Amino acid sequence: MKCRSCRGPAVIDLPRHNANFCGEHLVAFCREQVRRAIAEFEMLEEGDRVLVAVSGGKDSLALWDILDHLGYETTGLYIGLGIGDYSEDSAEFVRHFARERGAELLEVDLASRHGYDIPGAAQRTKRTPCSACGLSKRHIFDREALAGGHAAVATGHNLDDEAAVLFGNVLRWQLDYLARQRPVLPARDGLPRKVKPLVRLTERETAAYCIVSGIDYQVEECPMSAGNKHIGYKEALNDIEATSPGSKADFYLSFQRRAVQHFEQLGATAREALRTCTSCGAPSPSDTCAFCRLESMAGQPVELRSERTAIGDHATTTTGTMDET
Ligand code: AMP
Ligand code: FES
Ligand code: ZN
Ligand code: ZN
């Protein structure tokens, strides 16, 4: 197996590109895929300040590394979700990455800042862990990106993730979700721009990128992910991909190029209905946003919060303490 670029020994085969690459050219290939995704979907402008949401897994750490290499001014954002050892270990991978590069890392701890963690929230509310987790993360990404004046918040959703979500939305013809399933969502009142620069890379490719680049990452899956439907959708799409290489990318990218605009009007209608949360000021379809409702149902009284951690009620950075947002 020879590298397509240099004819040296290859470390990975990529059937959908009909190519094999050595380590050096795999790294170049991944960076080029991200550059092309950013350009095609007009995600970022040259040198933008980007808040990179990092979980400690392969995708978001690869993303942080690649955006740095492409010349963006990046800050990492890690949210402590309080999922036992899994969260503790994930935080360590992120901190190690940031320390090695002297990169700026912002940390928000759910328990000390908001008085709840994901297992507790799932127990005390009717939400599944993933739903409480997704809602909390989205709210904090938005808040911190706006507070820090970042041009955009970038997440490590890859092609496998996005194709699986698309598959689920098509299975149930969830038209409003289809309207919003874009790799870039523009900034609007109270919400920052959101981008997913890894949509042209699979998780196998981001894992290989990290291994070749010497990036240590959390390999464990979240222990609360059992029952997540997207795992099954990913397996189904992988079966199709194995017999028909390129199908996954075609399914997702052709949707973006040819179909998503047909659902746009539905998205616009949903957006017009948004008001402002009276408690936190975030855009919300009702007086109190879903995050504030979750916090009040799942959170412990403020006086108990400060006993749980020394971090206090502020987001912390490796270079100091951020002002309250
Ligand atoms: P997930 O929702 O776990 O599939 O993660 C999707 C993306 O959300 C990741 O690639 C990260 O960009 C971001 N993310 C997930 N967990 C965290 C976390 N604990 N802190 C910050 N960002 C996260
Ligand atoms: Fe859903 Fe962790 S809470 S994957
Ligand atoms: Zn090569
Ligand atoms: Zn609110």
Side-chain angles (χ1 to χ4, degrees):
M1 199 164 85
K2 287 192 172 136
C3 171
R4 177 163 87 183
S5 301
C6 68
R7 313 306 299 160
V11 296
I12 190 167
D13 63 316
L14 301 181
R16 83 190 158 101
H17 290 284
N18 204 10
N20 309 314
F21 289 113
C22 69
E24 180 190 337
H25 290 110
L26 171 75
V27 166
F29 164 85
C30 290
R31 290 180 187 161
E32 174 60 13
Q33 293 301 314
V34 174
R35 194 198 61 74
R36 283 170 65 176
I38 291 172
E40 174 174 359
F41 298 110
E42 299 178 347
M43 293 184 190
L44 300 171
E45 309 215 333
E46 216 174 290
D48 264 352
R49 286 186 63 230
V50 183
L51 186 65
V52 190
V54 278
S55 64
K58 59 193 181 315
D59 302 308
S60 48
L61 288 180
L63 174 64
W64 195 359
D65 186 78
I66 294 173
L67 290 179
D68 270 348
H69 278 281
L70 293 179
Y72 297 98
E73 205 185 305
T74 60
T75 300
L77 167 63
Y78 176 76
I79 301 171
L81 301 165
I83 307 178
D85 290 348
Y86 171 76
S87 289
E88 296 296 319
D89 296 347
S90 300
E92 278 311 314
F93 285 109
V94 174
R95 290 176 192 140
H96 176 76
F97 180 98
R99 249 193 330 266
E100 269 197 333
R101 288 144 209 260
E104 190 182 17
L105 172 65
L106 176 62
E107 292 195 40
V108 175
D109 183 65
L110 268 188
S112 56
R113 174 94 184 240
H114 296 287
Y116 71 91
D117 56 25
I118 296 304
Q123 231 170 36
R124 277 179 234 131
T125 68
K126 291 201 175 71
R127 288 183 177 272
T128 62
C130 286
S131 144
C133 179
L135 170 61
S136 307
K137 285 188 296 200
R138 281 191 301 275
H139 182 88
I140 293 167
F141 294 165
D142 293 350
R143 183 187 69 203
E144 298 301 332
L146 290 177
H150 297 275
V153 53
T155 53
H157 295 95
N158 58 40
L159 178 60
D160 298 85
D161 298 324
E162 292 303 291
V165 171
L166 178 60
F167 192 66
N169 289 340
V170 168
L171 268 185
R172 280 176 226 90
W173 288 110
Q174 284 177 306
L175 302 180
D176 47 342
Y177 290 165
L178 286 169
R180 278 181 282 144
Q181 211 197 328
R182 287 181 174 274
V184 54
L185 292 175
R188 58 195 171 94
D189 274 352
L191 291 173
R193 172 183 285 235
K194 291 177 200 171
V195 298
K196 297 176 179 172
L198 298 186
V199 290
R200 294 179 61 101
L201 289 175
T202 62
E203 51 194 40
R204 182 165 166 262
E205 290 155 8
T206 59
Y209 181 91
C210 286
I211 292 165
V212 167
S213 308
I215 298 171
D216 289 333
Y217 60 88
Q218 169 67 285
V219 289
E220 301 297 324
E221 292 295 329
C222 172
M224 311 210 81
S225 67
N228 185 325
K229 289 196 196 76
H230 291 113
I231 297 172
Y233 299 156
K234 278 187 185 176
E235 282 168 8
L237 287 168
N238 282 342
D239 285 347
I240 297 170
E241 181 74 15
T243 51
S244 182
S247 305
K248 206 188 291 175
D250 210 15
F251 175 56
Y252 176 75
L253 293 172
S254 297
F255 170 73
Q256 296 301 335
R257 290 169 186 153
R258 299 206 294 271
V260 71
Q261 65 268 29
H262 298 300
F263 300 95
E264 212 149 53
Q265 191 48 42
L266 286 152
T269 316
R271 275 200 297 276
E272 276 159 20
L274 287 185
R275 291 181 259 165
T276 301
C277 170
T278 50
S279 176
C280 74
S284 162
S286 54
D287 280 348
T288 307
C289 76
F291 176 81
C292 287
R293 276 183 276 136
L294 174 73
E295 187 186 31
S296 71
M297 279 172 81
Q300 297 189 356
V302 177
E303 57 271 21
L304 287 180
R305 295 180 196 175
S306 53
E307 288 168 16
R308 298 182 58 157
T309 170
I311 293 175
D313 202 24
H314 293 264
T316 54
T317 67
T318 49
T319 49
T321 302
M322 263 211 18
D323 287 333
E324 182 64 52
T325 54

